[in-house]
Amino acid sequence: MTESQNSRASGESADVIVLGAGPAGLVLANLLHAAGIDCVLLERASRTHVQTRPRAGFLAPNTGRILDRHGLAGGLHRHGSRHGTCEFRTRDGRFRLDYGALGQGGQGGQSGQSGQGGQHHVYPQQNLVTDLLTHYLDHGGRVRFDTEALAVGDADGAAPYVTTREPDGRPTRWTGRYVAGCDGRHGAARRSLPPDAVRHHHDHGVTWLGLLAQAPPSLDAVGYAVHDRGFAGHMARTPEVTRYYLQWQRGVPAEAWSEQRIWDELDLRMRAAEHGPLHRGPLLERGIFDLTCDVVEPLRHGSLFLAGDAASLLAPAAAKGANLAVLEAEILAGALTDALTRGDTAGLDGYSDQCLAHIWRAQEFTGWMTRLLHVAPDGEQGTEPSFHAALRRSRLASLR
Ligand code: RFL
């Protein structure tokens, strides 16, 4: 089926206008559509682009349970693999943390339909996005690709609207009762917040070179190498493709090193000489990521609600962003459905506080992971390197 066949040309209004077809927007649109809510999804990029953009890969147990609950986890179960172990490599040797088993007795292990305790799914984000989009379109959901939201207007008034640039360049105005800003950090939702909205920002002072290698995983666990030369990470994606990360000097371009030098450095930091060589392969992608984070507060402005990266950006160190996006989308879908079907706005009134509690917990964990894994980030330059290294060793010993 083509996009246009799936996009009912039904005018420029919907009860809920969802901006952005990432994990947040797609889960939200699927849930609203299944509840019989009139909604439309507006996406700046093409369908091909959103379905091929590689990003996250680790989905937490709760994300699997949410997707299960709404019949959206078919692809995840068919093609995803399960992971419950991470391996730390340090100068004091290596040790494994079986976090999957740790979750079995706690919240992570209870009551999930998938019944997989605390194990994560490894499933590339672009595959999840493809599944969600296919499900939405196959069930008659409305989506407009190549349609950029420019601004949200009158969010605190009686007639909220979104101005867009349509695929042919025409400006258009979409009117709705609610707008869900799931359009990421640089989207229109954030830009449309009033000047007094609070944006908490923090720079962890660490930069990563993120790599996607055409090579099978080199270990059957997430690998975290804590090395005096800086952090290195190994994360499986598929049997043929693996993500690696190198702590990187800020300001140095991604192309500065040859592939040979990158693999040699990964070998060194991952201590391949002691623990076995890495499977090498061509580097498909290189990207620079400054580990920064932010939180918008509150997540609501009148009829405009923010979810996913639009609400809060997390450094990728703890693999939380897509998981929070899915969780917030489920909460927002329930609240919007209550408001539109029963006139009950309690969920919408509590949405921001409820999500911010999850967001700050994720930010705290991400900060802890970032300090655990990295050589003295720039933000702690006042600290003696030896002091910082000793602190890291002590943190790892506690974890062990
Ligand atoms: P997305 O996925 O960015 O989707 C937003 C969508 O909005 C569109 N858009 C617009 N549409 C209309 N009008 C506009 N003006 C628009 N502006 C933007 C965009 O084209 C896009 O389609 O946001 P969402 O849905 O909130 O999802 C968030 C996640 O994508 C993100 O948090 C994760 O990728 C973070 N992350 C990880 N999270 C995990 O839970 N587990 C992981 O293993 C994990 N690994 C990662 C990651 C992020 C990474 N990067 C990109 C830093 C690994 C990496 C390398």
Side-chain angles (χ1 to χ4, degrees), residues 20-24 42-44 50 53 55-58 125 147-149 182-184 187-188 243 245 289 308-309 319-323 325:
L42 306 181
E43 165 60 50
R44 180 180 60 184
V50 300
R53 187 169 41 199
R55 299 181 83 181
F58 274 78
Q125 181 167 323
T147 299
E148 182 179 11
C182 305
D183 51 349
R243 246 201 199 286
Y245 296 107
F289 303 110
D309 281 8
K320 291 278 180 199
N323 293 296

PDB file of all heavy atoms in Angstrom, residues 20-24 42-44 50 53 55-58 125 147-149 182-184 187-188 243 245 289 308-309 319-323 325, ligand 1:
ATOM      1  N   GLY A  20       5.157  14.239  14.602  1.00  0.00           N
ATOM      2  CA  GLY A  20       6.351  13.398  14.662  1.00  0.00           C
ATOM      3  C   GLY A  20       6.039  11.917  14.675  1.00  0.00           C
ATOM      4  O   GLY A  20       5.261  11.439  15.506  1.00  0.00           O
ATOM      5  N   ALA A  21       6.643  11.176  13.723  1.00  0.00           N
ATOM      6  CA  ALA A  21       6.424   9.731  13.625  1.00  0.00           C
ATOM      7  C   ALA A  21       7.648   8.972  14.130  1.00  0.00           C
ATOM      8  O   ALA A  21       8.197   8.117  13.442  1.00  0.00           O
ATOM      9  CB  ALA A  21       6.090   9.346  12.185  1.00  0.00           C
ATOM     10  N   GLY A  22       8.082   9.294  15.338  1.00  0.00           N
ATOM     11  CA  GLY A  22       9.082   8.489  16.031  1.00  0.00           C
ATOM     12  C   GLY A  22       8.345   7.537  16.964  1.00  0.00           C
ATOM     13  O   GLY A  22       7.111   7.402  16.883  1.00  0.00           O
ATOM     14  N   PRO A  23       9.071   6.867  17.858  1.00  0.00           N
ATOM     15  CA  PRO A  23       8.395   5.936  18.769  1.00  0.00           C
ATOM     16  C   PRO A  23       7.267   6.595  19.571  1.00  0.00           C
ATOM     17  O   PRO A  23       6.192   6.000  19.726  1.00  0.00           O
ATOM     18  CB  PRO A  23       9.533   5.477  19.694  1.00  0.00           C
ATOM     19  CG  PRO A  23      10.769   5.642  18.874  1.00  0.00           C
ATOM     20  CD  PRO A  23      10.531   6.832  18.004  1.00  0.00           C
ATOM     21  N   ALA A  24       7.463   7.820  20.044  1.00  0.00           N
ATOM     22  CA  ALA A  24       6.429   8.473  20.865  1.00  0.00           C
ATOM     23  C   ALA A  24       5.172   8.726  20.031  1.00  0.00           C
ATOM     24  O   ALA A  24       4.067   8.313  20.402  1.00  0.00           O
ATOM     25  CB  ALA A  24       6.957   9.780  21.455  1.00  0.00           C
ATOM     26  N   LEU A  42       1.430  14.069  11.730  1.00  0.00           N
ATOM     27  CA  LEU A  42       2.139  14.913  10.761  1.00  0.00           C
ATOM     28  C   LEU A  42       3.635  14.700  10.932  1.00  0.00           C
ATOM     29  O   LEU A  42       4.168  14.890  12.036  1.00  0.00           O
ATOM     30  CB  LEU A  42       1.797  16.391  10.982  1.00  0.00           C
ATOM     31  CG  LEU A  42       0.309  16.763  10.983  1.00  0.00           C
ATOM     32  CD1 LEU A  42       0.143  18.281  11.191  1.00  0.00           C
ATOM     33  CD2 LEU A  42      -0.379  16.318   9.703  1.00  0.00           C
ATOM     34  N   GLU A  43       4.320  14.305   9.871  1.00  0.00           N
ATOM     35  CA  GLU A  43       5.742  13.975   9.954  1.00  0.00           C
ATOM     36  C   GLU A  43       6.526  14.761   8.896  1.00  0.00           C
ATOM     37  O   GLU A  43       6.173  14.724   7.722  1.00  0.00           O
ATOM     38  CB  GLU A  43       5.937  12.460   9.771  1.00  0.00           C
ATOM     39  CG  GLU A  43       7.349  11.998   9.471  1.00  0.00           C
ATOM     40  CD  GLU A  43       8.378  12.357  10.545  1.00  0.00           C
ATOM     41  OE1 GLU A  43       8.144  12.103  11.737  1.00  0.00           O
ATOM     42  OE2 GLU A  43       9.435  12.912  10.174  1.00  0.00           O
ATOM     43  N   ARG A  44       7.587  15.403   9.364  1.00  0.00           N
ATOM     44  CA  ARG A  44       8.397  16.246   8.472  1.00  0.00           C
ATOM     45  C   ARG A  44       9.104  15.439   7.380  1.00  0.00           C
ATOM     46  O   ARG A  44       9.221  15.866   6.247  1.00  0.00           O
ATOM     47  CB  ARG A  44       9.441  16.970   9.341  1.00  0.00           C
ATOM     48  CG  ARG A  44      10.358  17.874   8.577  1.00  0.00           C
ATOM     49  CD  ARG A  44      11.339  18.538   9.503  1.00  0.00           C
ATOM     50  NE  ARG A  44      12.159  17.554  10.212  1.00  0.00           N
ATOM     51  CZ  ARG A  44      13.042  17.852  11.139  1.00  0.00           C
ATOM     52  NH1 ARG A  44      13.196  19.103  11.531  1.00  0.00           N
ATOM     53  NH2 ARG A  44      13.760  16.916  11.728  1.00  0.00           N
ATOM     54  N   VAL A  50      12.012   7.814   7.857  1.00  0.00           N
ATOM     55  CA  VAL A  50      11.752   7.428   9.258  1.00  0.00           C
ATOM     56  C   VAL A  50      11.938   5.926   9.460  1.00  0.00           C
ATOM     57  O   VAL A  50      12.311   5.480  10.539  1.00  0.00           O
ATOM     58  CB  VAL A  50      10.359   7.869   9.783  1.00  0.00           C
ATOM     59  CG1 VAL A  50      10.186   9.365   9.732  1.00  0.00           C
ATOM     60  CG2 VAL A  50       9.220   7.181   9.088  1.00  0.00           C
ATOM     61  N   ARG A  53      16.057   5.169   9.764  1.00  0.00           N
ATOM     62  CA  ARG A  53      16.951   5.986  10.605  1.00  0.00           C
ATOM     63  C   ARG A  53      17.415   5.157  11.807  1.00  0.00           C
ATOM     64  O   ARG A  53      16.641   4.878  12.713  1.00  0.00           O
ATOM     65  CB  ARG A  53      16.151   7.209  11.071  1.00  0.00           C
ATOM     66  CG  ARG A  53      16.944   8.244  11.812  1.00  0.00           C
ATOM     67  CD  ARG A  53      16.148   9.521  12.009  1.00  0.00           C
ATOM     68  NE  ARG A  53      14.756   9.267  12.355  1.00  0.00           N
ATOM     69  CZ  ARG A  53      13.772  10.142  12.243  1.00  0.00           C
ATOM     70  NH1 ARG A  53      13.999  11.337  11.782  1.00  0.00           N
ATOM     71  NH2 ARG A  53      12.545   9.828  12.590  1.00  0.00           N
ATOM     72  N   ARG A  55      18.876   4.289  15.319  1.00  0.00           N
ATOM     73  CA  ARG A  55      19.137   5.028  16.570  1.00  0.00           C
ATOM     74  C   ARG A  55      19.188   4.025  17.706  1.00  0.00           C
ATOM     75  O   ARG A  55      20.179   3.327  17.866  1.00  0.00           O
ATOM     76  CB  ARG A  55      18.057   6.095  16.816  1.00  0.00           C
ATOM     77  CG  ARG A  55      18.017   7.113  15.706  1.00  0.00           C
ATOM     78  CD  ARG A  55      16.985   8.158  15.940  1.00  0.00           C
ATOM     79  NE  ARG A  55      17.455   9.219  16.805  1.00  0.00           N
ATOM     80  CZ  ARG A  55      16.727  10.250  17.171  1.00  0.00           C
ATOM     81  NH1 ARG A  55      15.487  10.362  16.776  1.00  0.00           N
ATOM     82  NH2 ARG A  55      17.215  11.181  17.945  1.00  0.00           N
ATOM     83  N   ALA A  56      18.107   3.915  18.469  1.00  0.00           N
ATOM     84  CA  ALA A  56      18.110   3.039  19.650  1.00  0.00           C
ATOM     85  C   ALA A  56      18.121   1.575  19.257  1.00  0.00           C
ATOM     86  O   ALA A  56      17.816   1.213  18.117  1.00  0.00           O
ATOM     87  CB  ALA A  56      16.876   3.329  20.497  1.00  0.00           C
ATOM     88  N   GLY A  57      18.433   0.733  20.235  1.00  0.00           N
ATOM     89  CA  GLY A  57      18.383  -0.700  20.008  1.00  0.00           C
ATOM     90  C   GLY A  57      17.938  -1.457  21.245  1.00  0.00           C
ATOM     91  O   GLY A  57      17.417  -2.560  21.148  1.00  0.00           O
ATOM     92  N   PHE A  58      18.127  -0.831  22.425  1.00  0.00           N
ATOM     93  CA  PHE A  58      17.809  -1.539  23.661  1.00  0.00           C
ATOM     94  C   PHE A  58      16.474  -1.075  24.205  1.00  0.00           C
ATOM     95  O   PHE A  58      16.285   0.087  24.526  1.00  0.00           O
ATOM     96  CB  PHE A  58      18.913  -1.311  24.701  1.00  0.00           C
ATOM     97  CG  PHE A  58      20.012  -2.302  24.531  1.00  0.00           C
ATOM     98  CD1 PHE A  58      20.938  -2.139  23.520  1.00  0.00           C
ATOM     99  CD2 PHE A  58      20.070  -3.436  25.312  1.00  0.00           C
ATOM    100  CE1 PHE A  58      21.923  -3.083  23.304  1.00  0.00           C
ATOM    101  CE2 PHE A  58      21.052  -4.390  25.107  1.00  0.00           C
ATOM    102  CZ  PHE A  58      21.989  -4.214  24.093  1.00  0.00           C
ATOM    103  N   GLN A 125      15.694   0.487  16.398  1.00  0.00           N
ATOM    104  CA  GLN A 125      14.576   1.441  16.460  1.00  0.00           C
ATOM    105  C   GLN A 125      13.860   1.568  15.119  1.00  0.00           C
ATOM    106  O   GLN A 125      12.636   1.704  15.078  1.00  0.00           O
ATOM    107  CB  GLN A 125      15.095   2.807  16.924  1.00  0.00           C
ATOM    108  CG  GLN A 125      14.001   3.859  17.045  1.00  0.00           C
ATOM    109  CD  GLN A 125      14.459   5.088  17.792  1.00  0.00           C
ATOM    110  OE1 GLN A 125      15.213   4.979  18.745  1.00  0.00           O
ATOM    111  NE2 GLN A 125      14.012   6.254  17.374  1.00  0.00           N
ATOM    112  N   THR A 147       5.528  16.612   5.752  1.00  0.00           N
ATOM    113  CA  THR A 147       4.703  17.725   6.217  1.00  0.00           C
ATOM    114  C   THR A 147       5.314  18.258   7.509  1.00  0.00           C
ATOM    115  O   THR A 147       5.263  17.595   8.539  1.00  0.00           O
ATOM    116  CB  THR A 147       3.253  17.243   6.458  1.00  0.00           C
ATOM    117  OG1 THR A 147       2.741  16.753   5.218  1.00  0.00           O
ATOM    118  CG2 THR A 147       2.369  18.349   6.978  1.00  0.00           C
ATOM    119  N   GLU A 148       5.901  19.424   7.410  1.00  0.00           N
ATOM    120  CA  GLU A 148       6.622  19.962   8.566  1.00  0.00           C
ATOM    121  C   GLU A 148       5.734  20.887   9.384  1.00  0.00           C
ATOM    122  O   GLU A 148       5.156  21.835   8.843  1.00  0.00           O
ATOM    123  CB  GLU A 148       7.856  20.738   8.081  1.00  0.00           C
ATOM    124  CG  GLU A 148       8.659  21.284   9.237  1.00  0.00           C
ATOM    125  CD  GLU A 148       9.889  22.044   8.796  1.00  0.00           C
ATOM    126  OE1 GLU A 148      10.021  22.341   7.591  1.00  0.00           O
ATOM    127  OE2 GLU A 148      10.708  22.356   9.680  1.00  0.00           O
ATOM    128  N   ALA A 149       5.637  20.585  10.681  1.00  0.00           N
ATOM    129  CA  ALA A 149       4.933  21.516  11.569  1.00  0.00           C
ATOM    130  C   ALA A 149       5.838  22.720  11.792  1.00  0.00           C
ATOM    131  O   ALA A 149       7.023  22.562  12.101  1.00  0.00           O
ATOM    132  CB  ALA A 149       4.622  20.830  12.895  1.00  0.00           C
ATOM    133  N   CYS A 182       5.387  15.337  19.646  1.00  0.00           N
ATOM    134  CA  CYS A 182       6.287  14.175  19.718  1.00  0.00           C
ATOM    135  C   CYS A 182       7.353  14.345  18.646  1.00  0.00           C
ATOM    136  O   CYS A 182       7.812  13.373  18.048  1.00  0.00           O
ATOM    137  CB  CYS A 182       5.510  12.878  19.466  1.00  0.00           C
ATOM    138  SG  CYS A 182       4.095  12.653  20.549  1.00  0.00           S
ATOM    139  N   ASP A 183       7.728  15.588  18.380  1.00  0.00           N
ATOM    140  CA  ASP A 183       8.596  15.892  17.241  1.00  0.00           C
ATOM    141  C   ASP A 183      10.027  16.185  17.660  1.00  0.00           C
ATOM    142  O   ASP A 183      10.753  16.922  16.987  1.00  0.00           O
ATOM    143  CB  ASP A 183       8.004  17.048  16.407  1.00  0.00           C
ATOM    144  CG  ASP A 183       7.628  18.256  17.246  1.00  0.00           C
ATOM    145  OD1 ASP A 183       7.626  18.143  18.486  1.00  0.00           O
ATOM    146  OD2 ASP A 183       7.350  19.320  16.675  1.00  0.00           O
ATOM    147  N   GLY A 184      10.441  15.586  18.763  1.00  0.00           N
ATOM    148  CA  GLY A 184      11.848  15.603  19.129  1.00  0.00           C
ATOM    149  C   GLY A 184      12.342  16.946  19.648  1.00  0.00           C
ATOM    150  O   GLY A 184      11.596  17.902  19.820  1.00  0.00           O
ATOM    151  N   GLY A 187      11.900  20.140  17.384  1.00  0.00           N
ATOM    152  CA  GLY A 187      10.615  20.233  16.716  1.00  0.00           C
ATOM    153  C   GLY A 187       9.873  21.535  16.990  1.00  0.00           C
ATOM    154  O   GLY A 187      10.345  22.411  17.723  1.00  0.00           O
ATOM    155  N   ALA A 188       8.676  21.602  16.406  1.00  0.00           N
ATOM    156  CA  ALA A 188       7.862  22.811  16.525  1.00  0.00           C
ATOM    157  C   ALA A 188       7.240  22.944  17.916  1.00  0.00           C
ATOM    158  O   ALA A 188       6.971  24.050  18.379  1.00  0.00           O
ATOM    159  CB  ALA A 188       6.762  22.787  15.472  1.00  0.00           C
ATOM    160  N   ARG A 243      26.842  -1.900  17.236  1.00  0.00           N
ATOM    161  CA  ARG A 243      27.173  -0.529  17.574  1.00  0.00           C
ATOM    162  C   ARG A 243      28.376  -0.501  18.496  1.00  0.00           C
ATOM    163  O   ARG A 243      28.478  -1.341  19.411  1.00  0.00           O
ATOM    164  CB  ARG A 243      25.997   0.145  18.299  1.00  0.00           C
ATOM    165  CG  ARG A 243      25.404   1.256  17.496  1.00  0.00           C
ATOM    166  CD  ARG A 243      24.616   2.243  18.313  1.00  0.00           C
ATOM    167  NE  ARG A 243      23.721   3.003  17.445  1.00  0.00           N
ATOM    168  CZ  ARG A 243      24.113   3.956  16.613  1.00  0.00           C
ATOM    169  NH1 ARG A 243      25.399   4.274  16.516  1.00  0.00           N
ATOM    170  NH2 ARG A 243      23.238   4.595  15.870  1.00  0.00           N
ATOM    171  N   TYR A 245      30.948   2.456  20.674  1.00  0.00           N
ATOM    172  CA  TYR A 245      31.134   3.848  21.062  1.00  0.00           C
ATOM    173  C   TYR A 245      32.553   4.032  21.589  1.00  0.00           C
ATOM    174  O   TYR A 245      33.093   3.137  22.259  1.00  0.00           O
ATOM    175  CB  TYR A 245      30.166   4.248  22.188  1.00  0.00           C
ATOM    176  CG  TYR A 245      28.704   4.204  21.802  1.00  0.00           C
ATOM    177  CD1 TYR A 245      27.877   3.190  22.276  1.00  0.00           C
ATOM    178  CD2 TYR A 245      28.148   5.181  20.984  1.00  0.00           C
ATOM    179  CE1 TYR A 245      26.526   3.140  21.928  1.00  0.00           C
ATOM    180  CE2 TYR A 245      26.800   5.141  20.636  1.00  0.00           C
ATOM    181  CZ  TYR A 245      25.999   4.125  21.113  1.00  0.00           C
ATOM    182  OH  TYR A 245      24.669   4.078  20.764  1.00  0.00           O
ATOM    183  N   PHE A 289      28.378  12.449  19.362  1.00  0.00           N
ATOM    184  CA  PHE A 289      27.308  12.740  20.315  1.00  0.00           C
ATOM    185  C   PHE A 289      27.888  13.387  21.564  1.00  0.00           C
ATOM    186  O   PHE A 289      28.646  12.736  22.293  1.00  0.00           O
ATOM    187  CB  PHE A 289      26.574  11.454  20.725  1.00  0.00           C
ATOM    188  CG  PHE A 289      26.007  10.706  19.562  1.00  0.00           C
ATOM    189  CD1 PHE A 289      26.539   9.491  19.171  1.00  0.00           C
ATOM    190  CD2 PHE A 289      24.948  11.232  18.841  1.00  0.00           C
ATOM    191  CE1 PHE A 289      26.022   8.806  18.081  1.00  0.00           C
ATOM    192  CE2 PHE A 289      24.422  10.546  17.747  1.00  0.00           C
ATOM    193  CZ  PHE A 289      24.962   9.335  17.370  1.00  0.00           C
ATOM    194  N   GLY A 308       8.249  12.168  24.743  1.00  0.00           N
ATOM    195  CA  GLY A 308       9.478  11.669  24.116  1.00  0.00           C
ATOM    196  C   GLY A 308      10.594  12.704  24.196  1.00  0.00           C
ATOM    197  O   GLY A 308      10.674  13.496  25.138  1.00  0.00           O
ATOM    198  N   ASP A 309      11.452  12.706  23.162  1.00  0.00           N
ATOM    199  CA  ASP A 309      12.594  13.631  23.167  1.00  0.00           C
ATOM    200  C   ASP A 309      12.146  15.091  23.196  1.00  0.00           C
ATOM    201  O   ASP A 309      12.909  15.962  23.614  1.00  0.00           O
ATOM    202  CB  ASP A 309      13.475  13.400  21.933  1.00  0.00           C
ATOM    203  CG  ASP A 309      14.402  12.195  22.092  1.00  0.00           C
ATOM    204  OD1 ASP A 309      14.264  11.461  23.077  1.00  0.00           O
ATOM    205  OD2 ASP A 309      15.272  11.989  21.216  1.00  0.00           O
ATOM    206  N   ALA A 319      20.641   4.233  27.620  1.00  0.00           N
ATOM    207  CA  ALA A 319      19.628   3.692  26.697  1.00  0.00           C
ATOM    208  C   ALA A 319      18.206   3.827  27.248  1.00  0.00           C
ATOM    209  O   ALA A 319      17.476   2.862  27.414  1.00  0.00           O
ATOM    210  CB  ALA A 319      19.938   2.226  26.366  1.00  0.00           C
ATOM    211  N   LYS A 320      17.822   5.039  27.556  1.00  0.00           N
ATOM    212  CA  LYS A 320      16.503   5.263  28.166  1.00  0.00           C
ATOM    213  C   LYS A 320      15.519   6.003  27.270  1.00  0.00           C
ATOM    214  O   LYS A 320      14.315   5.954  27.497  1.00  0.00           O
ATOM    215  CB  LYS A 320      16.677   6.101  29.450  1.00  0.00           C
ATOM    216  CG  LYS A 320      17.373   5.388  30.586  1.00  0.00           C
ATOM    217  CD  LYS A 320      16.401   4.531  31.331  1.00  0.00           C
ATOM    218  CE  LYS A 320      17.063   3.802  32.480  1.00  0.00           C
ATOM    219  NZ  LYS A 320      16.288   2.662  32.931  1.00  0.00           N
ATOM    220  N   GLY A 321      16.007   6.770  26.282  1.00  0.00           N
ATOM    221  CA  GLY A 321      15.158   7.737  25.579  1.00  0.00           C
ATOM    222  C   GLY A 321      13.935   7.131  24.906  1.00  0.00           C
ATOM    223  O   GLY A 321      12.811   7.599  25.097  1.00  0.00           O
ATOM    224  N   ALA A 322      14.148   6.085  24.109  1.00  0.00           N
ATOM    225  CA  ALA A 322      13.013   5.492  23.386  1.00  0.00           C
ATOM    226  C   ALA A 322      12.047   4.840  24.365  1.00  0.00           C
ATOM    227  O   ALA A 322      10.833   4.816  24.146  1.00  0.00           O
ATOM    228  CB  ALA A 322      13.519   4.473  22.371  1.00  0.00           C
ATOM    229  N   ASN A 323      12.584   4.318  25.448  1.00  0.00           N
ATOM    230  CA  ASN A 323      11.727   3.676  26.458  1.00  0.00           C
ATOM    231  C   ASN A 323      10.815   4.690  27.133  1.00  0.00           C
ATOM    232  O   ASN A 323       9.631   4.444  27.326  1.00  0.00           O
ATOM    233  CB  ASN A 323      12.616   2.965  27.482  1.00  0.00           C
ATOM    234  CG  ASN A 323      13.347   1.795  26.859  1.00  0.00           C
ATOM    235  OD1 ASN A 323      12.720   0.840  26.429  1.00  0.00           O
ATOM    236  ND2 ASN A 323      14.664   1.882  26.776  1.00  0.00           N
ATOM    237  N   ALA A 325       9.920   7.465  25.804  1.00  0.00           N
ATOM    238  CA  ALA A 325       8.998   7.947  24.766  1.00  0.00           C
ATOM    239  C   ALA A 325       7.761   7.048  24.699  1.00  0.00           C
ATOM    240  O   ALA A 325       6.624   7.530  24.627  1.00  0.00           O
ATOM    241  CB  ALA A 325       9.716   7.985  23.411  1.00  0.00           C
TER     242      ALA A 325
HETATM  243  P1  RFL B   1      12.246  10.904  17.447  1.00  0.00           P
HETATM  244  O1  RFL B   1      12.561   9.459  17.278  1.00  0.00           O
HETATM  245  O2  RFL B   1      13.343  11.876  17.264  1.00  0.00           O
HETATM  246  O3  RFL B   1      11.067  11.238  16.448  1.00  0.00           O
HETATM  247  C1  RFL B   1      10.655  12.576  16.258  1.00  0.00           C
HETATM  248  C2  RFL B   1      10.032  12.656  14.868  1.00  0.00           C
HETATM  249  O4  RFL B   1       9.551  13.981  14.665  1.00  0.00           O
HETATM  250  C3  RFL B   1       9.883  14.395  13.351  1.00  0.00           C
HETATM  251  N1  RFL B   1       9.897  15.872  13.351  1.00  0.00           N
HETATM  252  C4  RFL B   1       8.902  16.627  12.855  1.00  0.00           C
HETATM  253  N2  RFL B   1       7.742  16.292  12.279  1.00  0.00           N
HETATM  254  C5  RFL B   1       6.926  17.292  11.905  1.00  0.00           C
HETATM  255  N3  RFL B   1       7.234  18.610  12.072  1.00  0.00           N
HETATM  256  C6  RFL B   1       8.406  18.985  12.654  1.00  0.00           C
HETATM  257  N4  RFL B   1       8.705  20.273  12.825  1.00  0.00           N
HETATM  258  C7  RFL B   1       9.290  17.965  13.073  1.00  0.00           C
HETATM  259  N5  RFL B   1      10.504  17.969  13.679  1.00  0.00           N
HETATM  260  C8  RFL B   1      10.854  16.698  13.830  1.00  0.00           C
HETATM  261  C9  RFL B   1      11.209  13.749  13.070  1.00  0.00           C
HETATM  262  O5  RFL B   1      11.469  13.637  11.675  1.00  0.00           O
HETATM  263  C10 RFL B   1      11.025  12.385  13.748  1.00  0.00           C
HETATM  264  O6  RFL B   1      10.492  11.434  12.856  1.00  0.00           O
HETATM  265  O7  RFL B   1      11.619  11.195  18.869  1.00  0.00           O
HETATM  266  P2  RFL B   1      10.746  10.290  19.891  1.00  0.00           P
HETATM  267  O8  RFL B   1       9.582   9.669  19.186  1.00  0.00           O
HETATM  268  O9  RFL B   1      10.522  11.140  21.056  1.00  0.00           O
HETATM  269  O10 RFL B   1      11.722   9.052  20.272  1.00  0.00           O
HETATM  270  C11 RFL B   1      12.888   9.288  21.022  1.00  0.00           C
HETATM  271  C12 RFL B   1      13.968   8.275  20.622  1.00  0.00           C
HETATM  272  O11 RFL B   1      14.142   8.323  19.218  1.00  0.00           O
HETATM  273  C13 RFL B   1      15.299   8.555  21.336  1.00  0.00           C
HETATM  274  O12 RFL B   1      15.071   8.906  22.663  1.00  0.00           O
HETATM  275  C14 RFL B   1      16.203   7.311  21.321  1.00  0.00           C
HETATM  276  O13 RFL B   1      16.670   7.046  20.006  1.00  0.00           O
HETATM  277  C15 RFL B   1      17.394   7.514  22.277  1.00  0.00           C
HETATM  278  N6  RFL B   1      18.356   6.377  22.176  1.00  0.00           N
HETATM  279  C16 RFL B   1      18.095   5.187  22.810  1.00  0.00           C
HETATM  280  N7  RFL B   1      16.977   5.043  23.548  1.00  0.00           N
HETATM  281  C17 RFL B   1      16.683   3.841  24.124  1.00  0.00           C
HETATM  282  O14 RFL B   1      15.644   3.740  24.795  1.00  0.00           O
HETATM  283  N8  RFL B   1      17.500   2.742  23.976  1.00  0.00           N
HETATM  284  C18 RFL B   1      18.657   2.830  23.223  1.00  0.00           C
HETATM  285  O15 RFL B   1      19.370   1.823  23.060  1.00  0.00           O
HETATM  286  C19 RFL B   1      19.001   4.085  22.634  1.00  0.00           C
HETATM  287  N9  RFL B   1      20.117   4.200  21.876  1.00  0.00           N
HETATM  288  C20 RFL B   1      19.507   6.506  21.396  1.00  0.00           C
HETATM  289  C21 RFL B   1      20.377   5.394  21.258  1.00  0.00           C
HETATM  290  C22 RFL B   1      19.814   7.717  20.738  1.00  0.00           C
HETATM  291  C23 RFL B   1      20.963   7.816  19.987  1.00  0.00           C
HETATM  292  N10 RFL B   1      21.259   9.039  19.362  1.00  0.00           N
HETATM  293  C24 RFL B   1      20.448   9.506  18.285  1.00  0.00           C
HETATM  294  C25 RFL B   1      21.909  10.018  20.150  1.00  0.00           C
HETATM  295  C26 RFL B   1      21.529   5.484  20.478  1.00  0.00           C
HETATM  296  C27 RFL B   1      21.836   6.709  19.843  1.00  0.00           C
HETATM  297  C28 RFL B   1      23.076   6.793  19.005  1.00  0.00           C
END
